[in-house]
Amino acid sequence: MTETPLEQTTKIEQQLIEFRRLLHSEPELSENEFKTQEKIIAKLEEFGIPYKKVGKTSTIATIKGKNPGKTVALRADIDALPINEDLGLDFQSKNPGVMHACGHDAHTTMAMGAAKILNESKESFDGEVRIFFQEAEETFEGAKKIVADGGMDGVDAVFGMHNYNTIPTGSFYSGAGDLFSGCDTLYVTFTGKSGHGGTPQLGKDSFTPAAQFALDLQQIIAKNIDSRDPVVLNIGRFASGTKANIVPKESTMDISMRYFDEDSRDIGHEAIKRHAQAFADMYEITVDVTIEPSTPPTKNDAALAKIATSAGMKIFGSDKVSEFPRAMNSEDFSYYLQEAPGVYGIIGIYNEKKGTTHAPHDDHYELDEDILKLGAAWHVEFALEFLGTADN
């Protein structure tokens, strides 16, 4: 009797744990994942899986089935975060100030486990599986590089997943529609004329209009955006002046904008520029607003969401489908969705007994390693359900 994907990944669970811990102990920041890439390539060569290097530190593995057919891409991100780890783990980060605090080491491991299983069973399906081991998700640059290097050429569907602490270990979500918001960064610079603090009338203060604009920012959302379409604006950096007795010539701020609806995004952009200009005009100074698109919204394709949910129920159980309200986080997986339909799944890690309750990007974040065999099997099951069994 043929083993199920979960039975297959359960057999290699210890190998998955060891590989994940190896990756965890040597985390690397975006576009600097050189040793991580070496570890990935070493495993692919061990398994006899063809691969090519793309981007700066990304790798695409390719597994061809028995006969030509459709192509499915499975994606895993590989980069870590600039966070210091102090959890006392046996396999704790050896790189000060760098930590796998988002679980990308687990994502890489699950995709690698899937690659091993799919390669060993390639005579059982038609078509092609590509596995993206993608750099620089945290900076939203990695997916664009894989697309630019042809990784999505001919791909019919793309699947990925992320661990999350809001649903329990052993549960999952892969529903249709909005999942994660799009994200832009706006850089605003007010420029006036410096002067002595004792005679401010001889200068042109940039701080006061910048501060008033910053306080006004949320009114832009309240009075310009349809309340049914959520938009979030956050000022993450504000800088002005050099000394108490000098009128600040320049004041700058960096604004993060999150959205789902493209029209609301455009309305927000225009309103921000209009309000900034109004405050600059009021104080007879100039302002520049530069908009840097980071990533589009992540929206799951309805047909593929059904396949992912069907696959998930076979791995996790039919009673383990969780709710996951759309979130204002962002993901560069969305760049793949501009090239082909896809679905992005959520895999739970919340486990009070193990202490895996902290959110990604928290310096107390820990991963429940029970998800490794589950996630690997989910990748396999999705690929097999999408591609179908081999024609004899």
Side-chain angles (χ1 to χ4, degrees):
M1 183 177 178
T2 304
E3 291 182 312
T4 66
L6 183 56
E7 288 171 336
Q8 291 172 304
T9 58
T10 298
K11 282 187 173 181
I12 62 169
E13 182 177 18
Q14 190 55 42
Q15 296 174 48
L16 297 176
I17 291 171
E18 290 172 0
F19 187 59
R20 181 255 164 174
R21 293 183 177 187
L22 177 65
L23 296 173
H24 189 89
S25 67
E26 294 190 272
E28 296 173 297
L29 297 177
S30 302
E31 298 187 70
N32 288 281
E33 310 97 328
F34 298 105
K35 289 184 178 179
T36 302
Q37 185 184 51
E38 288 175 4
K39 294 180 178 72
I40 290 166
I41 288 173
K43 275 294 178 186
L44 293 173
E45 291 179 345
E46 177 186 335
F47 299 152
I49 300 174
Y51 66 87
K52 66 175 181 178
K53 296 180 180 181
V54 296
K56 189 175 181 182
T57 52
S58 298
T59 308
I60 299 177
T62 303
I63 302 168
K64 294 185 181 293
K66 186 174 183 180
N67 303 300
K70 295 181 291 186
T71 298
V72 61
L74 307 176
R75 180 274 206 152
D77 37 19
I78 69 173
D79 52 334
L81 287 159
I83 296 174
N84 192 62
E85 182 172 10
D86 188 22
L87 298 175
L89 302 173
D90 293 339
F91 51 94
Q92 185 158 295
S93 171
K94 299 175 184 176
N95 299 333
V98 185
M99 175 185 177
H100 267 300
C102 202
H104 294 187
D105 50 342
H107 301 167
T108 301
T109 299
M110 294 187 292
M112 185 63 74
K116 175 178 171 61
I117 300 302
L118 288 165
N119 189 56
E120 291 173 350
S121 57
K122 59 189 174 185
E123 290 298 309
S124 69
F125 64 86
D126 288 338
E128 178 181 319
V129 181
R130 292 181 200 165
I131 300 99
F132 300 159
F133 296 98
Q134 180 211 302
E135 66 192 274
E137 186 279 327
E138 296 294 351
T139 58
F140 301 138
E141 295 297 322
K144 289 186 287 187
K145 293 184 180 184
I146 287 182
V147 171
D149 283 350
M152 287 294 291
D153 292 355
V155 170
D156 298 294
V158 58
F159 177 67
M161 67 181 74
H162 203 295
N163 73 94
Y164 233 83
N165 71 315
T166 56
I167 60 176
T169 298
S171 64
F172 75 99
Y173 173 85
S174 52
D178 290 339
L179 184 67
F180 292 132
S181 70
C183 177
D184 295 331
T185 304
L186 295 90
Y187 302 96
V188 181
T189 301
F190 288 87
T191 304
K193 180 178 180 294
S194 61
H196 195 287
T199 53
Q201 76 278 9
L202 300 179
K204 293 292 182 182
D205 178 28
S206 69
F207 172 79
T208 300
Q212 291 180 336
F213 169 74
L215 292 173
D216 175 69
L217 201 59
Q218 300 309 321
Q219 295 304 316
I220 290 175
I221 301 299
K223 302 303 181 183
N224 290 272
I225 305 297
D226 189 326
S227 60
R228 294 167 295 182
D229 297 322
V231 173
V232 171
L233 293 175
N234 180 70
I235 300 174
R237 190 191 71 85
F238 189 107
S240 181
T242 57
K243 198 167 184 270
N245 64 348
I246 300 174
V247 174
K249 178 180 179 179
E250 187 174 274
S251 297
T252 63
M253 67 190 80
D254 300 349
I255 304 168
S256 174
M257 179 179 185
R258 310 282 173 149
Y259 66 93
F260 287 102
D261 181 76
E262 297 285 345
D263 289 339
S264 293
R265 173 200 188 217
D266 294 341
I267 291 169
H269 286 177
E270 291 306 312
I272 287 169
K273 289 187 282 189
R274 186 173 67 251
H275 282 230
Q277 188 62 58
F279 280 107
D281 290 344
M282 193 186 309
Y283 286 85
E284 300 179 300
I285 65 173
T286 62
V287 66
D288 176 75
V289 179
T290 300
I291 300 171
E292 178 183 86
S294 295
T295 182
T298 300
K299 301 185 179 186
N300 285 341
D301 177 79
L304 293 178
K306 288 182 179 179
I307 295 175
T309 300
S310 169
M313 288 192 292
K314 290 178 181 177
I315 302 304
F316 298 86
S318 59
D319 61 338
K320 297 298 183 181
V321 181
S322 283
E323 292 298 318
F324 188 85
R326 62 181 183 173
M328 302 308 270
N329 307 63
S330 299
E331 241 290 345
D332 77 347
F333 184 84
S334 57
Y335 283 108
Y336 300 126
L337 301 180
Q338 294 184 325
E339 307 296 320
V343 59
Y344 197 63
I346 303 298
I347 183 168
I349 62 163
Y350 187 91
N351 186 330
E352 287 188 5
K353 290 182 179 179
K354 292 188 175 183
T356 57
T357 59
H358 294 277
H361 294 221
D362 188 315
D363 63 359
H364 285 81
Y365 168 89
E366 287 191 65
L367 183 95
D368 186 347
E369 292 178 323
D370 285 351
I371 73 167
L372 298 178
K373 64 183 179 184
L374 296 170
W378 195 12
H379 276 298
V380 173
E381 188 65 47
F382 177 86
L384 294 178
E385 288 198 26
F386 178 77
L387 295 175
T389 56
D391 293 330
N392 295 312

